[in-house]
Amino acid sequence: MNDIPEAAVQPSARLSITRASHADAEVLTAAGEIDASTIPLLSEALSGASTATAGGARTVLDLSAVTFMDSTGINALLTGHRAAEEAGGWLRLAGLDGPVWRVVELVGVHHVLSCHPSVAEALDA
């Protein structure tokens, strides 16, 4: 895997996102809470990822350190998924657990987005 140093996307008090390139994909790692007040940061990160990867937007979003996500997060994930597909790529989710997995499962996003236990598995899928 050819990694470049991680770069932080402007963190808020309740959400931080780091970005790292892995071969032909970008990995975004979110930590904290995803809700109406932090959604601009996630949306910006997903939007940037959809234009940053050559040959199509290939992004893994690691949610293992996210402790809360509401419906605004679901909307951002679906918007990011749609943008990635339109650019000829994909958005895969990794590390969903506890309350975040519950929200994703409850609204059926796991039927639309590719969900994986780890970043490594998402990159290999």
Side-chain angles (χ1 to χ4, degrees), residues 100-118:
V100 175
W101 171 249
R102 176 80 174 128
V103 170
V104 166
E105 184 181 40
L106 188 65
V107 298
V109 171
H110 64 297
H111 295 296
V112 177
L113 289 169
S114 182
C115 299
H116 304 272
S118 69

Side-chain angles (χ1 to χ4, degrees), residues 46-47 50 57 77-91:
L46 289 172
S47 176
S50 69
L77 295 178
L78 293 172
T79 300
H81 168 69
R82 190 170 32 254
E85 281 194 332
E86 288 173 0
W90 41 257
L91 172 62

Side-chain angles (χ1 to χ4, degrees), residues 7-19 26 28-50 59 61 63 66 72-73 76-77 80:
V9 176
Q10 297 175 339
S12 77
R14 295 179 27 241
L15 179 67
S16 65
I17 300 176
T18 57
R19 177 178 304 196
E26 191 160 59
L28 300 175
T29 302
E33 299 177 2
I34 299 173
D35 60 21
S37 67
T38 61
I39 202 63
L41 180 63
L42 178 60
S43 296
E44 177 185 332
L46 289 172
S47 176
S50 69
T59 306
L61 177 59
L63 297 170
V66 172
T72 59
L77 295 178

Side-chain angles (χ1 to χ4, degrees), residues 2 21 30 33 41 43 48 51 53 56 63-65 73-76 82 84 86 89 116 120 122-124:
N2 185 12
S21 291
E33 299 177 2
L41 180 63
S43 296
T51 59
T53 308
L63 297 170
S64 61
I74 296 296
N75 188 40
R82 190 170 32 254
E86 288 173 0
H116 304 272
L123 288 168
D124 289 340

